[in-house]
Amino acid sequence: MPLMTSSEAFVETLAARGVTHVFGIVGSAYMDPLDLFEPAGIRFISVAHEQGAGHMADGYSRISNRHGVCIAQNGPGITNFVTAIAAAYWAHSPVVCITPESGSATMGLGGFQEIEQLAFFQKITKYQTHVSRPDRIAELTARAFDIALAERGPTQVNIPRDFFYGDVDVDIHAPLDVERSPGGAASLDRAAALLGEANFPVIIAGGGVAMAEGVGELESLAEYLSAPVVTSYLHNDSFPASHRLACGPLGYQGSKSAMRIIEKADVVLALGTRLGPFGTLPQYGLEYWPEDAKVIQIDHDQRVLGLVKPVTVGICGDAKAAARRLLERLKAAPNPPTCLGTAGERVAQVVAENAAWEEELDGISQGVEGGLAPRHALRELERALPADAIVTTDIGNICSVANSYLRFEKPGSFLAAMSFGNCGYAFPTAIGAKVAAPDRSVVAYVGDGAWGMSLQETLTCVRENIPVTAVVFNNGQWGAEKKNQIDYYADRFVGTNLANPSFAEVARAMGANGIRVTSADEVGDALQAATSADVATVLEIVVNQELGEPFRRDALQKPVRHLAKYQAYAAP
């Protein structure tokens, strides 16, 4: 085996896995391998905060469909990764989190920046490894990379800082190539039989379709069956929005067309989705989930099959491969699918529901007195978005309402905080996405509250020359929580009003481009100017305080006050 230092073995392993970018903040704990990044063809992107580095690695991995890598100083640098790794976990992103640790000889003595670093990530990673000997650094790092991609989720490599030094005899192995299966033959037969007997099949396209690069196979299957396709919550890019069978997204502020179509289904094919509970909650007063329908669920993780919704057939398989095999079985069946006899009627219903929803959306996206309404701004942004744009969205009222307006033609175009729902997600994730796809326009939608958690990464964009666009909705409030206070706490506003500066001015002071607009007719031109600029741009849109429906109506109830001293504050 070749002789090299353990730092060289570590960096050679990264290079063998195709790593070209690492996000982080420089630290003495990994200074030796850091010195080798540039000769190995790895660009180190220095960020403003470690949470941003984790989100950038997430965005990079989701757009490139490869590993994203983040690294930081031991102790506080590593604990700052936790929120971002949790978000990556729920987004199924193959992020490898490198966590240099205090020196092995002094662990347990309470030294500088010492803390036990594995426990923080135990529930939010697919695999953790602690390098117990310098000569295992290549082996264990490689394993973390293989598992991250195979199981679609973050992994952690914990390395005592003194293990980066000294000579070791190691081999650098090639990546493990694991072929994905379409699922068991018997379960695919049962699924094909159900689809063949269906009168009104509907397909839910989940994130697994995009991850498997299986949109083409899904299109072929849907077209053969003339089956309407809805997308799962926050996976609007899993099926082309302009396709004649596309109905839009389910979930909060999704498409009414999608909801009205799926409630007609007698067979639902949930392809590449865990059917998360938040993505099937009632919306717009519609209880749209078809409780009597037979459900076929396909996911590469067998643990999620039947977890949220009862299923008739569960298939542990790759979305792309399974869609291909299902179509083969349907075409080879002795009798054509029953639903082909009503294909024209079904497509007509899709056309009618889409038109009705589009007309309604136009009606609620018009100008109003009292400033620029959020929905009006979102409509103008939708119209002005470049065709190839990647959009990231933060959590919050306006950004969540954007689900009604975000439509895409190809996968790898929409990144959201998913089930973890953390603020400060969109902007750093957009930076990672731009690094992965430098030729595409990347736009982050951020509320003014969440912007306070991520605006520091404007410095990263300026320093590293990464020209992303941040659309910041400035309405002077934490909108989602304020809506709860309006609906449940009699307009008692505690902690939800914000006093903001001009974020465009702040951006200019940081060396970025800053644009501030206050009217609808300025929005489109401003977005086009921002996305065509060769520098990072903060597009500040001043909107009124109109709010969408409550984000978590399922989790709140009218307060009850038992103590007399609270009576003056009780809701009427």
Side-chain angles (χ1 to χ4, degrees):
M1 292 185 288
L3 183 69
M4 63 184 77
T5 69
S6 48
S7 283
E8 290 171 336
F10 171 73
V11 175
E12 286 291 324
T13 302
L14 300 189
R17 262 58 190 172
V19 175
T20 55
H21 296 82
V22 173
F23 303 89
I25 293 180
V26 64
S28 62
Y30 67 99
M31 195 67 71
D32 200 58
L34 176 66
D35 185 56
L36 298 170
F37 280 2
E38 186 175 347
I42 298 172
R43 178 185 175 189
F44 179 73
I45 295 182
S46 178
V47 307
H49 190 281
E50 291 89 354
Q51 180 176 326
H55 286 318
M56 290 176 205
D58 184 352
Y60 181 93
S61 72
R62 293 177 69 181
I63 294 302
S64 68
N65 217 11
R66 298 189 294 118
H67 300 99
V69 183
C70 55
I71 192 169
Q73 175 68 4
N74 62 266
I78 300 309
T79 59
N80 283 344
F81 276 147
V82 171
T83 293
I85 297 303
Y89 179 82
W90 288 109
H92 312 289
S93 301
V95 171
V96 180
C97 182
I98 310 296
T99 60
E101 189 180 62
S102 298
S104 61
T106 58
M107 279 297 290
L109 300 182
F112 183 62
Q113 296 182 323
E114 178 189 323
I115 198 165
E116 203 290 301
Q117 295 179 170
L118 290 168
F120 296 112
F121 302 93
Q122 183 176 3
K123 298 293 186 181
I124 52 175
T125 51
K126 295 289 187 178
Y127 171 76
Q128 295 176 289
T129 185
H130 175 77
V131 176
S132 56
R133 294 164 43 121
D135 59 359
R136 297 193 69 190
I137 197 168
E139 168 206 345
L140 295 174
T141 301
R143 186 174 301 162
F145 273 85
D146 289 340
I147 292 175
L149 203 56
E151 299 190 16
R152 297 298 309 200
T155 59
Q156 178 189 9
V157 185
N158 198 64
I159 309 171
R161 57 186 295 162
D162 53 309
F163 285 5
F164 284 118
Y165 299 91
D167 291 341
V168 293
D169 289 317
V170 296
D171 282 327
I172 306 300
H173 295 287
L176 185 63
D177 186 14
V178 179
E179 183 180 7
R180 292 193 178 275
S181 162
S187 56
L188 285 166
D189 287 342
R190 292 175 59 207
L194 280 178
L195 288 169
E197 297 166 358
N199 293 305
F200 203 111
V202 175
I203 301 173
I204 302 177
V209 175
M211 293 174 198
E213 300 177 346
V215 173
E217 285 73 11
L218 170 56
E219 285 186 87
S220 296
L221 177 61
E223 288 166 1
Y224 179 71
L225 293 170
S226 288
V229 179
V230 304
T231 55
S232 64
Y233 184 50
L234 300 180
H235 289 296
N236 304 28
D237 58 345
S238 290
F239 195 72
S242 63
H243 195 283
R244 66 187 182 92
L245 294 169
C247 302
L250 299 176
Y252 179 77
Q253 294 295 319
S255 163
K256 282 190 180 179
S257 174
M259 297 169 195
R260 286 171 173 150
I261 287 294
I262 198 171
E263 67 183 358
K264 305 176 192 295
D266 61 345
V267 173
V268 173
L269 172 60
L271 186 62
T273 173
R274 66 187 182 92
L275 292 174
F278 199 63
T280 53
L281 287 174
Q283 197 59 206
Y284 309 117
L286 299 173
E287 297 270 359
Y288 57 85
W289 183 257
E291 296 291 347
D292 296 330
K294 296 176 181 178
V295 178
I296 303 162
Q297 185 183 7
I298 301 175
D299 197 276
H300 82 281
D301 182 359
Q302 63 90 20
R303 294 190 183 192
V304 306
L305 299 177
L307 179 65
V308 178
K309 297 291 185 184
V311 299
T312 310
V313 179
I315 299 175
C316 181
D318 175 75
K320 177 178 182 176
R324 184 188 301 124
R325 293 291 184 269
L326 284 174
L327 181 57
E328 290 172 357
R329 280 165 165 77
L330 287 165
K331 287 183 174 180
N335 299 311
T338 302
C339 63
L340 297 188
T342 55
E345 177 185 340
R346 199 161 46 257
V347 172
Q349 290 186 61
V350 169
V351 171
E353 293 292 358
N354 283 348
W357 171 234
E358 196 66 18
E359 182 179 357
E360 181 177 348
L361 201 55
D362 275 336
I364 60 177
S365 305
Q366 298 300 311
V368 295
E369 294 184 6
L372 176 57
R375 279 191 174 274
H376 196 182
L378 289 167
R379 194 58 149 178
E380 294 301 324
L381 288 168
E382 177 196 358
R383 290 168 176 155
L385 272 173
D388 70 337
I390 298 168
V391 178
T392 68
T393 57
D394 225 293
I395 197 72
N397 195 269
I398 297 176
C399 294
S400 297
V401 171
N403 193 31
S404 299
Y405 302 89
L406 293 173
R407 309 167 197 210
F408 305 97
E409 294 304 312
K410 62 182 180 180
S413 297
F414 183 35
L415 309 179
M418 311 309 298
S419 299
F420 198 57
N422 67 289
C423 289
Y425 168 88
F427 186 46
T429 303
I431 296 170
K434 183 66 174 179
V435 172
D439 295 331
R440 296 179 66 185
S441 300
V442 183
V443 181
Y445 284 12
V446 192
D448 49 0
W451 186 239
M453 299 184 183
S454 54
L455 67 85
Q456 69 273 8
E457 298 304 342
T458 305
L459 297 171
T460 303
C461 292
V462 172
R463 180 171 56 240
E464 298 287 341
N465 191 27
I466 304 173
V468 301
T469 297
V471 175
V472 182
F473 301 97
N474 188 348
N475 61 359
Q477 60 188 1
W478 286 101
E481 305 311 326
K482 193 173 209 181
K483 180 61 173 172
N484 291 331
Q485 291 173 336
I486 291 169
D487 289 350
Y488 293 92
Y489 298 97
D491 292 358
R492 294 191 297 276
F493 302 130
V494 181
T496 49
N497 289 318
L498 300 173
N500 296 323
S502 167
F503 295 122
E505 288 185 14
V506 173
R508 290 192 290 271
M510 289 175 148
N513 188 22
I515 304 172
R516 179 181 170 98
V517 301
T518 58
S519 63
D521 58 4
E522 300 174 302
V523 171
D525 289 343
L527 181 64
Q528 290 172 4
T531 54
S532 61
D534 58 1
V535 296
T537 300
V538 175
L539 170 53
E540 178 186 8
I541 302 180
V542 181
V543 292
N544 66 21
Q545 294 195 320
E546 178 183 307
L547 294 170
E549 287 300 304
F551 195 59
R552 293 302 311 273
R553 189 185 294 276
D554 64 304
L556 292 168
Q557 52 187 285
K558 290 287 186 180
V560 175
R561 303 287 180 255
H562 294 293
L563 299 179
K565 66 180 181 179
Y566 292 134
Q567 288 179 354
Y569 302 97

